[in-house]
Each structure stands twice: as C-alpha cells, then as structure tokens.
Amino acid sequence: MPNAAEALDCYLSIAQAIAGPTDYELVLENFANRLRVLIAHDHLDIVLLHPTGTQICYEARMHTSWSHTQAPAKPTEKSPIRAVLRGDVPHILTNDAWTDPVFHFEGSDSKPIFEANLRSRIVVPLRVQGELIGSLAISSHKQNFYSEDLLVLAQGAADLVSAYLFALERGKEAKDSAVTELEATGRERTLRIGALRLTEGMERERQRLGMDLHDQTLADLSRIRRRMSRIEGGSKAAMDEIAAIQDELDHCLDEVRGIVEDMKPGVLQLFGFAEAVDAHLQRCLKNTHRPIEMHVDDASNGKMDDLQDTVRTAVYRIVQEAVNNALKHGECSRLDVRIAQSGADMTVAIDDNGTGIQEADLKSHSGISNIKTRTDLISAQVFFERLDGPVGTRVMIVVPMNAGQVESDNI
C-alpha cells in the first residue's frame, strides 16, 4: 500500500501521461500503466455513458466483448456494473466477481468476467461537476486482492481522469457531428445538382415532345380536318355525322395546341415570366365554360426573369399547376396572380375565391404533391393558406434569387 507522498507522485505522473494524447486507446494505455504503480491489475476498463441509455467501453491490458471494437454501444441496463452506472451504489468492491450476485442478473452481459478470469474488482464512478458520466473498473485474476484503502485510491484516480475523458468525449462528439453535417451537406448539394439536371432534362424533353406534337400530330389532325371539309354529297345523316366529327376535330386541335404551348412555353422564353403566366390564364379562360375574372400583377418590375432559367421555368410550371388546381377543384370566380420581390427572395401568390383548401387536400397525392416536389427541386418554399372573406385559397411560392446559381456552376 503506497503512502500519501507516493500516491501524490503517482497522480501527478498520471496527469502528465494523459494530458497530451487525444486518442482514447493511447490515453487509456498511459493511464493504466501509471495506475499500476498504485493499484496492480490485470484488466482495466472505462465506461462512458450516453444520453441514449447506452454505454461505450474502452479496455486496457486485454480486450473482451465489452470493448467498443466489438460493439460501439451497448445498453446500460445489461451492463454487469449497472448499479454504479445508474448511481444506485457509490462503488463496487468484490473479492470474487464470479460469485458476486451484483454482476449477475437476468440479461446481464457478464460472460467476459469468466472468459477473462476477472475475480477481484473495484468499480468506481466517473463524475464531472457532480454529473455521473461513466465508471472506472479495475480487475485482478486473484481473489481477495483489493481493499478499502485501494478503493479510495481508485476513486482518486477516477476523479483525476474523468474531466479529461469528458473533454475528449465532447470533442469526439463535436467532430463526429461536424463530419456528419459535412456529409449531409455534400449529399444535399449532390442531390440538388442532380435535381437541377433532372429538371433541365425534363424540360428539354417536354420541349422536344412539344415540337413533335406541333410538327407531326397537329399537322396530321389539320390535314384530316381539311380532307373532311372537302367531302360532298351523301345522305343528310352522313353529312351531319361528318360535321360532328369536324367539330370534335376542331376541339381536339385546340386541345393539342394548348398542350404544345404548355410543353413548349414560347411566351416565357420570348416575353418573360409575367407575360407567360398571363398567356396561360387566357388559355384557361378560353377553355373554362364559366365566367372567371383573372389578373396578373407584376410588382417586381420583371425581376422574376433574373432567375436562373431552369428555376424560372420550374416556378412557371408550379404556377400552372396551382392555377389549374384552383380552376378544377376550387370552383372560383376570380383568380389573381401577384409577383413581387421580398428582400433576397421572389414571391408568387396565387389567390382564388373558391371553396378553400382543406387539410385532407394537403395530404393528397394530386397536384399539391406535384407542387411540393417541384419546389423542393429548386430549393424554394411553398405555403398553402385558406383565406378569409369568406372563402378562398392562397398558394405562396418563395424562391431565393440565387436559387440554382451555385449548383448550376457544377453542372
């Protein structure tokens, strides 16, 4: 049993040995080597608690299945020293861990006690500013090896090392958090770049299909319409049938022209965002068989056209979807689109005086879901609001002015 002076020298030696390294394994080895001067041992482990109810065990001298290398985290409730880790007892001092019931209970992970031949054991808590953060366990292959005096020395060593271990753990958590955040940021940026590429690819494909419809399908339908107009003679019933088919063809031609314009928005490219939205409203008004007031107000003085082209096109598609939803489901008689700049953001508000959006609508997989997906693709936000006075819905799109610019540099 060392005297007070020897114990003090040993504590100073421990402090010097653990002060430099930041690797747990090296810190623990240095600690174990210096501690042997005070307390002889064959095995030493330090357990650190986590708020999740788990623990991580670091071992010196020999390694068992308790080690963090075998399982990064294990449930504290299964630890054979849970009485100390839970604060139920101030310490554990046993002459033979093989037979001591404190280590053995239903579900206890006590198998390494036998496999590593751990007989005499000292287990003391690690505390920082009164908070229990883990434990220090010192074990010998011999029975009846440790005493109350050695228990006091072990607690002193634990008090000495606990603050340093706590600082190491917080540093490790901060580093892991930073790495995780960096990886998440990298993944998000990669997804954003991919989304922009996908959006551009989809838009190019829409325009290609629009050209195909314009050059082939519309031409074919027009040719059929002209040939039918040249048919003469025949019974009145046959001529009436031909006239009905001609009317259907005229309607079909109008529908296809609208689809072509939607897929290949020439007005957007030639005249800008506000004019394209107004043109879409006029097409909707033409195809809607009820009186509806529609207005577009651009309070931004054309700032929407300063957006990156892919983003501007995506916002236009979102407005189309919102307008179509309002006309199809809202039973509105008035629809207003307002474009504005708010600081570093552009906003587009689509207001209608229809029946008003319901909570169930927000959870549906219809046009609202499409709008949410499109806004996510361009790092924008969308808000759905049920209006007062007395009914109606507002769809508000908020898109940063720099949306797509950083990512587009990498495309």
Side-chain angles (χ1 to χ4, degrees), residues 192-201 203-204 207 268-269 272-273 302-318 344-346 374 377-380 399-411:
R192 193 69 63 193
I193 292 172
L196 283 170
R197 285 175 174 164
L198 176 62
T199 302
E200 289 186 344
E203 196 59 38
R204 286 194 297 268
Q207 293 185 15
L268 176 64
Q269 296 167 346
F273 184 84
K303 284 290 185 180
M304 187 66 75
D305 295 312
D306 292 341
L307 291 176
Q308 198 259 355
D309 189 58
T310 302
V311 174
R312 183 184 67 156
T313 302
V315 176
Y316 173 70
R317 298 300 184 196
I318 295 168
D345 298 328
M346 292 299 302
R374 287 185 184 277
L377 287 175
I378 58 171
S379 300
V399 54
M401 288 290 291
N402 64 353
Q405 291 179 5
V406 174
E407 290 87 350
S408 66
D409 294 339
N410 297 277
I411 296 178

Side-chain angles (χ1 to χ4, degrees), residues 68-282:
H68 72 288
T69 59
Q70 300 294 322
K74 290 192 174 185
T76 302
E77 283 301 307
K78 291 187 177 181
S79 172
I81 58 171
R82 69 179 185 183
V84 171
L85 295 175
R86 297 190 306 192
D88 297 339
V89 297
H91 58 259
I92 297 173
L93 174 63
T94 185
N95 290 322
D96 188 0
W98 281 26
T99 59
D100 194 331
V102 72
F103 299 106
H104 311 290
F105 48 85
E106 186 176 356
S108 171
D109 185 17
S110 60
K111 188 177 179 181
I113 291 176
F114 301 101
E115 293 178 339
N117 190 29
L118 308 181
R119 307 302 291 253
S120 295
R121 302 197 80 198
I122 296 174
V123 185
V124 293
L126 297 172
R127 295 184 183 276
V128 174
Q129 296 180 343
E131 180 183 354
L132 183 64
I133 67 163
S135 66
L136 165 65
I138 304 167
S139 304
S140 171
H141 295 328
K142 300 176 182 178
Q143 299 180 48
N144 305 304
F145 192 65
Y146 296 131
S147 64
E148 291 285 346
D149 292 335
L150 293 178
L151 174 65
V152 173
L153 293 177
Q155 186 63 68
D159 293 341
L160 179 65
V161 77
S162 58
Y164 189 73
L165 291 175
F166 180 77
L168 274 183
E169 184 67 14
R170 296 290 84 80
K172 179 176 178 293
E173 289 177 359
K175 179 181 177 182
D176 291 345
S177 177
V179 169
T180 300
E181 183 177 352
L182 184 61
E183 290 176 346
T185 302
R187 286 195 297 270
E188 182 179 355
R189 189 179 186 193
T190 300
L191 289 173
R192 193 69 63 193
I193 292 172
L196 283 170
R197 285 175 174 164
L198 176 62
T199 302
E200 289 186 344
M202 290 170 60
E203 196 59 38
R204 286 194 297 268
E205 184 63 16
R206 288 173 70 110
Q207 293 185 15
R208 185 191 66 79
L209 289 173
M211 292 292 292
D212 289 346
L213 284 172
H214 180 273
D215 294 343
Q216 188 64 46
T217 307
L218 272 177
D220 290 343
L221 289 173
S222 298
R223 186 174 62 258
I224 293 171
R225 175 68 176 80
R226 287 194 299 272
R227 289 182 63 184
M228 294 194 68
S229 66
R230 291 196 293 267
I231 297 176
E232 297 179 356
S235 65
K236 183 178 182 303
M239 297 306 297
D240 289 344
E241 183 65 20
I242 289 173
I245 293 174
Q246 287 177 324
D247 289 342
E248 290 183 13
L249 275 173
D250 289 338
H251 178 73
C252 183
L253 283 166
D254 289 340
E255 288 287 330
V256 174
R257 288 190 184 101
I259 292 172
V260 168
E261 185 57 35
D262 282 345
M263 297 179 72
K264 182 178 172 296
V267 177
L268 176 64
Q269 296 167 346
L270 295 174
F271 300 104
F273 184 84
E275 290 294 334
V277 171
D278 185 64
H280 179 69
L281 292 181
Q282 296 308 313

Side-chain angles (χ1 to χ4, degrees), residues 273-274 297-308 311-312 315 319 338-349 375 378-383 395-403 405:
F273 184 84
D297 178 18
D298 185 5
S300 73
N301 196 29
K303 284 290 185 180
M304 187 66 75
D305 295 312
D306 292 341
L307 291 176
Q308 198 259 355
V311 174
R312 183 184 67 156
V315 176
V319 173
R338 178 175 175 80
I339 306 161
Q341 183 177 6
S342 177
D345 298 328
M346 292 299 302
T347 65
V348 183
T375 54
I378 58 171
S379 300
Q381 294 178 288
V382 63
F383 304 94
V395 179
M396 174 71 77
I397 306 153
V398 181
V399 54
M401 288 290 291
N402 64 353
Q405 291 179 5

Side-chain angles (χ1 to χ4, degrees), residues 47 265 274 286 299 327 333 402:
V47 168
K286 181 179 178 181
L327 296 177
S333 61
N402 64 353

Side-chain angles (χ1 to χ4, degrees), residues 297-371:
D297 178 18
D298 185 5
S300 73
N301 196 29
K303 284 290 185 180
M304 187 66 75
D305 295 312
D306 292 341
L307 291 176
Q308 198 259 355
D309 189 58
T310 302
V311 174
R312 183 184 67 156
T313 302
V315 176
Y316 173 70
R317 298 300 184 196
I318 295 168
V319 173
Q320 281 184 309
E321 190 78 52
V323 168
N324 293 341
N325 284 346
L327 296 177
K328 183 177 180 180
H329 304 293
E331 300 178 10
C332 59
S333 61
R334 181 181 178 89
L335 195 148
D336 296 287
V337 180
R338 178 175 175 80
I339 306 161
Q341 183 177 6
S342 177
D345 298 328
M346 292 299 302
T347 65
V348 183
I350 303 98
D351 291 357
D352 69 69
N353 65 347
T355 54
I357 195 167
Q358 305 294 326
E359 188 68 27
D361 298 329
L362 297 175
K363 300 176 182 178
S364 69
H365 297 285
S366 58
I368 290 178
S369 178
N370 295 336
I371 290 173

Side-chain angles (χ1 to χ4, degrees), residues 2 32-44 61 120 122 138-142 145-146 150 153:
N33 288 335
R34 302 302 173 93
L35 185 62
R36 289 191 88 178
V37 177
L38 276 182
I39 307 172
H41 59 272
D42 298 301
H43 178 268
L44 183 146
R61 300 291 172 213
S120 295
I122 296 174
I138 304 167
S139 304
S140 171
H141 295 328
K142 300 176 182 178
F145 192 65
Y146 296 131
L150 293 178
L153 293 177

